[in-house]
Amino acid sequence: MASARATSSGGRQGSGGQTKVDGATILARALKEQGVEYMFGIVGVPIIEVAMAAQAAGIKFIHMRNEQAASYAASAIGYLTKRPAVCLTVSGPGVIHAFAGMANAQENCWPLIVVGGSCDQDQESMGGFQECPQVEQARPYCKYSARPPSLDRIPFVVEKAVRQCIFGRPGVAYIDMSGDMIVGKVAEQSVRFLQNCPAPPAMYASPANVSKAVDLLTRAKKPLIIVGKGAAYAGSEWVVRDLVDTTRLPFLPTPMGKGVVPDSHPLCVSPARSKALQEADVVLLLGARLNWMLHFGIPPRFNPNVQTIQVDISLEEIGNNVFPAVLLPGDISAVVQQLLDEFRRRPQQFQFDSSAPWWKTLNTKISENQKNVEGMCNDHSVPLNYYAALAEVQKALPKDCIIVNEGGNTMDIGRTMLPNQLPRHRLDAGTFGTMGVGIGFALAAALWCRDYAPGKRVVCIEGDSAFGFSGMEIETLARYQLPVVIIIFNNNGIFFGLRSEMWEDVADSDRTLTVPPTGLAPETRYEKLIEAFGGTGYLVHSIPQLRSSLQAAMSDTKRSSIINVMIDPMAQRKPQEFFWLTKSNL
């Protein structure tokens, strides 16, 4: 039985003189050959041997507290590095827990490999331990799902999983490893390990279409560039910045497209987002999808006569919801360089006139919106509102820190109040709108910073409800000595909760009938949790307290900390600000 197996020692001499190697060792070595550096997961039957073999092969194993958080962390590594990390799960419930991260990574187009243990093959259909049709169940959440047909074919499946993850539209692969396959042995000489799958080749767009795109932008009265998460993932920041600086076209970043061109750039029109979308007549989409986050590209949020130019790595995405006037499928860096070269080939170098009526419209709206926000930022009354608290946080953040941001109002307002100056330095709920990603993302970012950017800080800003999804991962942060500053915006609920005095009114009643579905216990002392693991907690009610707490937390580079900021439960967005959804009853 699987539960009685001893830990495999990898390879050993067989009776025929041949060296034998077990499935766990083959899998770990194949992953290492493909450049996998990190494995996140929770061990148990039948995959304990896989985790040990991974460490023996030089893959860093991070033992998490929940498979969802493990899959979120592994996917964040994929986004930051463009190479997949592994989420390792036990069979049945473990794999199913990881589906949350698989779905999130697949929708966000991030590379991720999930390796799931499964019951022994000779026990299938018998009601084996945690028996589950995992290969089939995983298919809706990934690009590739397979179980190796034999031990010697494990490297083939691993290489194909990596290739599927990073080629074309990035995404997810699932590899199923039955218990008997993990501990089974085969002659080492029969195993052929494949070379490291290279990065995808750059694909260029049709020169004729590039010329059409430049013609369209040149004739536009109200042009707009939208910089998406795809541009950030592609590492296209230098050429996109060059395009913006050369053409002087206004640009609007999507939430995780922030920083490809710095938010502080004078041509950034984020403060006039709604006006820019509603009136633009030509929109250049750089790795940005016309999904719910961009209101599907349709009225009333977009000009009904808008013409789009779409640059995307995925042919299937071209024309989704709105068919573009010009199609530019290909690698974003390569295609933007084509556009830039075409602009420079024109007889007179094109620059959009800063005195044009379009710029006047945008600048007027920017000024108006900034004044509205300034009033709320300067309102330091207690309990605090989101804008005042986020303005103070923004002042304390290093310009090169990685910002993890999730929650309802905390994330939505944070997208406007927390600027990014560098690409891939913002991680949030993204396209799938997944709550609970925060601590897993922050842990992965801190691990990446430790190994590749020493001294860079990670700051995780999330709502109290969002923290509850994966809060126990603060023990994981402590165990691996990963310093993260966690700032919880505590408004006693989801979107809004009850004030303490209102809570007293329902204290003696049947709370299942009187506490609103959005409500959480008021003024919960979340900062006390981090103290159990050797970190420092701070309770904040006022701006001076927030200022001093931020200073202390940011100066501690050894331990994680939690700053618990009490927010007025009735505080909301500014009234005229659009919700992200096209329709909302909130």
Side-chain angles (χ1 to χ4, degrees), residues 312-543:
D312 202 285
I313 193 66
S314 172
L315 280 169
E316 293 82 355
E317 188 61 38
I318 301 290
N320 191 33
N321 295 321
V322 175
F323 203 83
V326 184
L327 296 73
L328 296 175
D331 177 79
I332 293 174
S333 297
V335 175
V336 172
Q337 186 62 57
Q338 287 180 281
L339 290 168
L340 189 57
D341 292 343
E342 181 63 22
F343 273 117
R344 288 171 172 165
R345 272 196 291 268
R346 299 293 169 117
Q348 292 182 335
Q349 185 174 349
F350 169 81
Q351 277 197 344
F352 190 68
D353 191 350
S354 59
S355 64
W358 180 223
W359 265 119
K360 183 178 180 180
T361 299
L362 292 173
N363 287 330
T364 298
K365 193 63 178 177
I366 288 171
S367 178
E368 177 186 321
N369 285 343
Q370 286 177 337
K371 287 179 181 178
N372 289 337
V373 170
E374 283 174 9
M376 289 179 285
C377 292
N378 293 329
D379 178 6
H380 292 180
S381 58
V382 176
L384 295 170
N385 71 73
Y386 288 97
Y387 292 89
L390 283 167
E392 196 63 38
V393 170
Q394 186 270 327
K395 294 175 188 175
L397 295 183
K399 290 184 178 180
D400 68 342
C401 77
I402 294 181
I403 299 172
V404 181
N405 191 198
E406 68 163 333
N409 292 328
T410 304
M411 180 181 67
D412 289 347
I413 301 173
R415 284 168 166 169
T416 65
M417 292 296 296
L418 301 172
N420 285 90
Q421 307 305 322
L422 297 171
R424 297 171 298 283
H425 278 58
R426 179 182 177 85
L427 298 166
D428 70 20
T431 307
F432 210 38
T434 307
M435 289 296 102
V437 297
I439 306 299
F441 281 2
L443 188 149
L447 191 63
W448 179 82
C449 288
R450 185 194 69 183
D451 293 344
Y452 292 100
K456 188 183 292 287
R457 300 306 307 271
V458 176
V459 181
C460 180
I461 305 151
E462 54 183 1
D464 49 340
S465 176
F467 175 76
F469 282 82
S470 56
M472 198 60 195
E473 298 299 342
I474 60 176
E475 185 275 331
T476 313
L477 289 172
R479 188 174 357 116
Y480 292 104
Q481 297 180 312
L482 298 171
V484 173
V485 177
I486 302 168
I487 306 171
I488 299 174
F489 275 46
N490 187 351
N491 72 335
N492 304 343
I494 303 173
F495 291 112
F496 54 88
L498 292 176
R499 293 187 174 123
S500 297
E501 61 272 19
M502 298 168 68
W503 183 265
E504 295 302 320
D505 293 338
V506 302
D508 297 326
S509 62
D510 182 348
R511 296 182 182 179
T512 62
L513 298 175
T514 56
V515 174
T518 61
L520 296 172
E523 300 191 12
T524 299
R525 300 292 300 275
Y526 296 107
E527 82 283 356
K528 294 290 185 182
L529 296 175
I530 198 71
E531 295 174 2
F533 305 112
T536 307
Y538 306 88
L539 178 64
V540 167
H541 288 94
S542 66
I543 290 298

Side-chain angles (χ1 to χ4, degrees), residues 7-123:
T7 300
S8 169
S9 59
R12 66 175 184 176
Q13 200 77 10
S15 57
Q18 288 187 324
T19 300
K20 296 282 187 175
V21 62
D22 62 44
T25 300
I26 297 170
L27 175 65
R29 181 176 166 188
L31 290 168
K32 184 66 175 178
E33 291 283 343
Q34 294 302 322
V36 171
E37 293 186 68
Y38 303 99
M39 180 180 286
F40 302 81
I42 302 175
V43 297
V45 174
I47 49 84
I48 296 175
E49 293 90 347
V50 173
M52 292 181 173
Q55 288 183 313
I59 297 172
K60 297 168 184 175
F61 182 78
I62 301 91
H63 176 198
M64 305 287 284
R65 303 301 297 265
N66 180 282
E67 290 94 352
Q68 288 187 14
S71 60
Y72 297 146
S75 68
I77 289 290
Y79 174 64
L80 292 169
T81 68
K82 300 177 69 174
R83 301 291 296 196
V86 169
C87 172
L88 180 67
T89 78
V90 298
S91 49
V95 173
I96 291 169
H97 287 172
F99 286 166
M102 292 172 67
N104 187 70
Q106 186 72 1
E107 287 299 313
N108 277 309
C109 308
W110 294 357
L112 166 67
I113 293 175
V114 174
V115 174
S118 58
C119 74
D120 288 7
Q121 294 176 86
D122 62 2
Q123 295 175 0

Side-chain angles (χ1 to χ4, degrees), residues 213-214 216-218 220-225 240 243-252 261 265-269 282 284 309 343 350-353 358-359 362:
V214 173
L216 195 58
L217 287 166
T218 302
K221 301 298 183 184
K222 297 181 178 182
L224 179 67
I225 298 175
V240 172
L243 178 69
V244 169
D245 288 337
T246 298
T247 63
R248 309 302 294 171
L249 291 170
F251 76 92
L252 175 70
V261 183
H265 195 287
L267 301 179
C268 179
V269 295
V282 175
L284 172 61
I309 303 163
F343 273 117
F350 169 81
Q351 277 197 344
F352 190 68
D353 191 350
W358 180 223
W359 265 119
L362 292 173

Side-chain angles (χ1 to χ4, degrees), residues 199-222:
M203 294 191 300
Y204 291 83
S206 158
N209 281 3
V210 170
S211 181
K212 289 179 184 178
V214 173
D215 286 342
L216 195 58
L217 287 166
T218 302
R219 294 195 302 266
K221 301 298 183 184
K222 297 181 178 182

